[in-house]
Amino acid sequence: MRTRLIFVRHGESVHSVERFVGGRAGCRGLTALGQEQAAAVAWRLAAEVSGPVAVYSSVLRRAIQTAAPIATALGVDAETDCGLCTWHYPAYADGRPLAVLKTAELPGGGVHRPFQRENESWAELVVRTGRAIMDIAYRHAGQTVVLVGHSETVNSSFHVLGMQPLLRAFDTVVAPGSVTEWTADGDPATSPPTRWTLHRFSA
């Protein structure tokens, strides 16, 4: 019973190019290049995915726009799950220049303490995304699932599926429109946790 989780980072987004905080209210979706990247990854996945499949995305506009052509190519409807989101940015920063977050930094921010006032800590983000990832894996055990999210969603998979500590000894670069794939041959919801295999990262 192989469960296959394919993580897709959204395509190039307006907020990343124009350097503002792209939260739920502030996200302005994909650039023209990002739309091309979404179409390209949809074509890639349509050529390699068969059998029962589901598509999920975060609730942010850039992820929804990336998931749409993928779901169409795979012949399913995409579902949204807020658990797959990037940081739940505070309202005072959403849609504003990134410098706003710099002015709100907290001393000692990091793994268990938020980097900025009213933001999540990294540990809180990993717990939230991890819960969503494992719930989805449980619902679709033995199937293929495409999870369209953010660089943080992909990085969280290393902690949740790869059992890495919250403070890793390495950093990663997750390219826009890239694919990261994990599989497990055992029950994804068993305890102790089943072992997952990383097949590709940011490919």
Side-chain angles (χ1 to χ4, degrees):
M1 182 182 70
R2 171 160 289 192
T3 303
R4 185 182 185 195
L5 300 184
I6 300 176
F7 292 82
V8 176
R9 186 191 173 192
H10 61 78
E12 183 186 77
S13 59
V14 175
H15 93 285
S16 65
V17 172
E18 298 188 6
R19 306 288 294 167
F20 63 87
V21 179
R24 190 164 188 173
C27 181
R28 286 163 39 201
L30 299 176
T31 64
L33 174 59
Q35 292 170 0
E36 292 175 4
Q37 291 167 336
V41 77
W43 179 84
R44 286 175 61 191
L45 294 179
E48 64 178 62
V49 172
S50 60
V53 62
V55 177
Y56 288 81
S57 81
S58 87
V59 301
L60 297 184
R61 185 176 176 185
R62 55 190 181 272
I64 292 173
Q65 289 181 344
T66 303
I70 295 172
T72 298
L74 296 177
V76 297
D77 294 326
E79 299 184 45
T80 57
D81 189 324
C82 191
L84 299 175
C85 284
T86 182
W87 304 97
H88 282 168
Y89 290 109
Y92 69 79
D94 198 2
R96 300 189 63 194
L98 289 176
V100 172
L101 291 176
K102 185 71 176 176
T103 64
E105 286 183 353
L106 296 173
V111 176
H112 296 287
R113 179 172 163 80
F115 288 101
Q116 301 93 13
R117 175 172 48 88
E118 298 177 33
N119 202 355
E120 297 174 290
S121 68
W122 177 244
E124 289 169 327
L125 184 147
V126 170
V127 168
R128 170 171 57 79
T129 56
R131 173 67 181 270
I133 290 168
M134 294 310 299
D135 282 349
I136 290 169
Y138 174 74
R139 286 198 296 274
H140 298 280
Q143 301 177 14
T144 297
V145 187
V146 180
L147 302 93
V148 182
H150 310 264
S151 59
E152 293 82 8
T153 320
V154 176
N155 274 299
S156 184
S157 75
F158 280 84
H159 306 289
V160 178
L161 307 178
M163 303 298 287
Q164 290 287 309
L166 285 173
L167 185 59
R168 290 198 315 253
F170 60 91
D171 294 320
T172 63
V173 176
V174 185
S178 65
V179 172
T180 297
E181 180 180 351
W182 295 84
T183 65
D185 291 328
D187 183 348
T190 191
S191 183
T194 190
R195 288 180 64 86
W196 290 81
T197 299
L198 177 64
H199 290 264
R200 49 183 164 168
F201 166 70
S202 194

